[in-house]
Amino acid sequence: MTMPAFSLPRLKPRLLPWACASALPIMLALTGCAVTAVDPPKPAAAPAQFKETGLWQRAAGVQAATAVPDDWWKLFNDPVLNDLQGKLVVGNENLKAAIAQVAQARASFDASSASRWPSLGAGLSATRSVSPSGSGASNPNASNGPNEIVSLTANASWEIDLWGRLAQASNASEARWQASVDDLAAARLSAQALLAQSYFSLRTFEAQQALYERNLEAYSRSLTLTQARYDAGVVGRTDVLQAQTQLKTAQAQLADAAAQRAQAEHAIAVLLGQAPSVFAIARTAALPDTPAVPVLLPSTLLQRRPDIASAERRVAAAYAQIGAADAAFFPALTLSASAGYRGSSLSDLVSAPNLFWSIGPALAQGILDGGARKAASAQARASADQATAVYRQAVLTGLQEVEDNLAIADQLRTAAQLQREALALAQTNLGIVTEQYREGTVSYLNVVSAQTAALGSELSLLSVRSRELNAVNQLLKNIAGRWQQ
């Protein structure tokens, strides 16, 4: 994949006409011309196609009519999973925190936008004071009567954004708000994928429990048979001990699977925002079928993934912050005005003789700051470099995740079919060896070996199916994101 080499362009201010600095009307007309604006790099380019497309090639006929639904987990056709996903978006506490972060970012954007508009304030004050009448030594404590002053004032100010500092700061804040919206979408997708993964694990542990329970019945029958043959003097005590060992081992494995199933159920309860003590899922011991995965191009992936969109918006915010930092090198122009009434009593305060007002512009320019503005500009550029690198890494990671899960799902589908064939052979062999043991032609060690092989094959099949489901789950999560830009 060829990625564009991102570099921060050196600031080249476009100097305003001489009249912009000499005539106030022209300066007002040029308000908001962001001479310090620095354009962010172009979005990362995507490869023409994915490398690991074996999963799609195997089911090309099915994929042509398949689309990724907004509720992508419904492709697994599991009503219980669908119900759990509906509860997730309502009760998950991490999603609530992400929603609060979006609200916080929106409020920060509103506050940043407000600085671009004029501000107006009003005040009412009253003072009563006594001053000495003179400073002579003969009567230092003598004074006039008390003075009363009542004031009603209004003040207005407006910073003219000649160099785009306020606009760039507002743009940066808006980009961070949009990034937080994408973060929420990414958090929702991650929570939904984690819930599906936890659900598949729970069903896998249930299937393991059912398998151990079936084998316990078989082991119990084998122990009964072996004990009878031992009592008849046909076999030695070692056969009985082997049968007992195998039974106890299976009982321990059943207990371990039950514990893991309980942990998975507790994890799902917490994901839904519920206490584990009041949450339960009915046992089915059945894993859902692996769905077909819709075909997707890499360019579409970069447009759909919210984590990539979030990283891209943070690049835009970082570059806007460069403009805001560089605008500090230019003078700030502020228009201010004040008016009001000031008198000795409240009754006749609002009258023409008590009226006062003032209006005028102020131009301020920092001269010596110990390098603070230069350091702020350098910091903004370094932050932009960092945001660009994070964005590029997010693109690469997104492509890698799809490639990984395409390869894993494809290979595990093949592995599952081979493991089914191995299980069928192991079960056939177990039946033959068990019959031979009844006839006394083989030792119990052969039965134990055949039973262990059959159990291992079935456990391996459950493990492969669980991993295949999780790989497809992650793949759907990576390509099924839907959100509002």
Side-chain angles (χ1 to χ4, degrees):
M1 181 183 69
T2 303
M3 303 287 291
F6 296 154
S7 61
L8 292 172
R10 189 179 300 276
L11 176 64
K12 296 180 179 179
R14 303 187 296 274
L15 296 180
L16 294 173
W18 175 83
C20 186
S22 60
L24 180 60
I26 299 179
M27 294 176 72
L28 293 177
L30 294 175
T31 296
C33 54
V35 301
T36 57
V38 180
D39 295 330
K42 295 181 179 180
Q49 62 184 10
F50 287 106
K51 175 182 178 182
E52 305 290 347
T53 57
L55 181 66
W56 290 335
Q57 292 173 354
R58 288 174 178 266
V62 177
Q63 306 301 339
T66 305
V68 183
D70 292 346
D71 301 335
W72 48 269
W73 56 87
K74 291 184 177 179
L75 292 176
F76 293 99
N77 293 321
D78 192 309
V80 177
L81 177 59
N82 296 341
D83 180 65
L84 294 176
Q85 292 286 3
K87 296 177 180 178
L88 174 73
V89 295
V90 177
N92 187 270
E93 297 298 334
N94 289 331
L95 293 183
K96 293 179 183 178
I99 292 173
Q101 289 177 348
V102 172
Q104 181 181 6
R106 174 56 192 266
S108 177
F109 166 61
D110 291 341
S112 178
S113 300
S115 63
R116 303 177 63 181
W117 296 93
S119 62
L120 176 65
L124 176 64
S125 64
T127 60
R128 183 182 178 89
S129 63
V130 175
S131 301
S133 60
S135 58
S138 60
N139 188 14
N141 296 325
S143 63
N144 294 326
N147 296 322
E148 295 182 355
I149 299 177
V150 180
S151 300
L152 177 62
T153 59
N155 301 285
S157 64
W158 183 21
E159 180 177 350
I160 308 301
D161 194 20
L162 289 175
W163 321 113
R165 180 181 66 84
L166 298 180
Q168 292 294 326
S170 179
N171 292 340
S173 182
E174 182 180 13
R176 285 190 289 267
W177 166 41
Q178 294 171 346
S180 69
V181 174
D182 293 326
D183 288 340
L184 172 59
R188 184 177 65 248
L189 279 172
S190 296
Q192 290 167 340
L194 180 58
L195 174 59
Q197 180 178 347
S198 300
Y199 179 76
F200 298 149
S201 297
L202 179 136
R203 293 308 189 198
T204 301
F205 294 137
E206 288 180 355
Q208 290 178 356
Q209 285 181 272
L211 174 60
Y212 289 134
E213 289 170 353
R214 293 196 306 270
N215 278 269
L216 280 174
E217 296 177 0
Y219 295 164
S220 297
R221 291 193 299 268
S222 296
L223 177 58
T224 301
L225 175 62
T226 304
Q227 184 67 46
R229 292 170 60 83
Y230 171 72
D231 294 340
V234 178
V235 298
R237 179 167 174 76
T238 56
D239 286 2
V240 177
L241 294 176
Q242 287 177 339
Q244 291 175 338
T245 300
Q246 195 172 34
L247 180 62
K248 295 297 182 182
T249 300
Q251 290 173 341
Q253 291 172 330
L254 175 61
D256 181 63
Q260 294 185 73
R261 195 266 182 195
Q263 288 180 324
E265 188 177 60
H266 300 164
I268 292 175
V270 173
L271 281 174
L272 302 183
Q274 301 182 29
S277 59
V278 298
F279 178 80
I281 299 177
R283 286 185 56 178
T284 63
L287 277 72
D289 294 329
T290 304
V293 181
V295 178
L296 183 76
L297 295 176
S299 58
T300 306
L301 173 72
L302 301 189
Q303 296 171 3
R304 294 172 65 90
R305 283 188 58 136
D307 56 339
I308 294 178
S310 173
E312 186 177 4
R313 296 313 304 157
R314 284 186 166 83
V315 171
Y319 273 80
Q321 196 60 43
I322 293 177
D326 289 341
F329 288 96
F330 299 93
L333 175 63
T334 303
L335 297 180
S336 60
S338 63
Y341 296 91
R342 184 182 296 117
S344 59
S345 63
L346 186 62
S347 59
D348 59 347
L349 177 63
V350 183
S351 58
N354 295 330
L355 175 65
F356 70 92
W357 60 270
S358 66
I359 186 172
L363 193 65
Q365 171 66 56
I367 299 177
L368 296 176
D369 60 1
R373 288 173 294 176
K374 184 177 181 180
S377 178
Q379 181 182 11
R381 280 170 163 73
S383 297
D385 281 338
Q386 180 186 17
T388 301
V390 171
Y391 164 64
R392 294 177 61 189
Q393 184 61 43
V395 171
L396 293 174
T397 300
L399 295 172
Q400 178 192 359
E401 288 177 349
V402 173
E403 297 279 14
D404 287 348
N405 289 298
L406 278 173
I408 293 172
D410 182 34
Q411 296 302 319
L412 288 180
R413 176 171 295 185
T414 302
Q417 180 59 37
L418 294 174
Q419 194 60 52
R420 290 186 183 95
E421 296 173 3
L423 174 59
L425 295 173
Q427 290 175 337
T428 301
N429 180 64
L430 175 59
I432 295 173
V433 171
T434 302
E435 186 62 29
Q436 290 175 339
Y437 179 69
R438 288 194 180 97
E439 296 175 355
T441 58
V442 297
S443 68
Y444 191 74
L445 182 60
N446 297 84
V447 178
V448 172
S449 178
Q451 289 176 334
T452 302
L455 177 61
S457 294
E458 195 159 0
L459 288 173
S460 296
L461 178 58
L462 287 175
S463 176
V464 169
R465 288 200 59 204
S466 177
R467 291 167 58 197
E468 182 186 8
L469 284 170
N470 285 326
V472 173
N473 172 52
Q474 289 296 321
L475 184 58
L476 289 174
K477 171 250 183 181
N478 289 333
I479 68 176
R482 298 290 181 93
W483 62 91
Q484 296 295 327
Q485 292 292 343

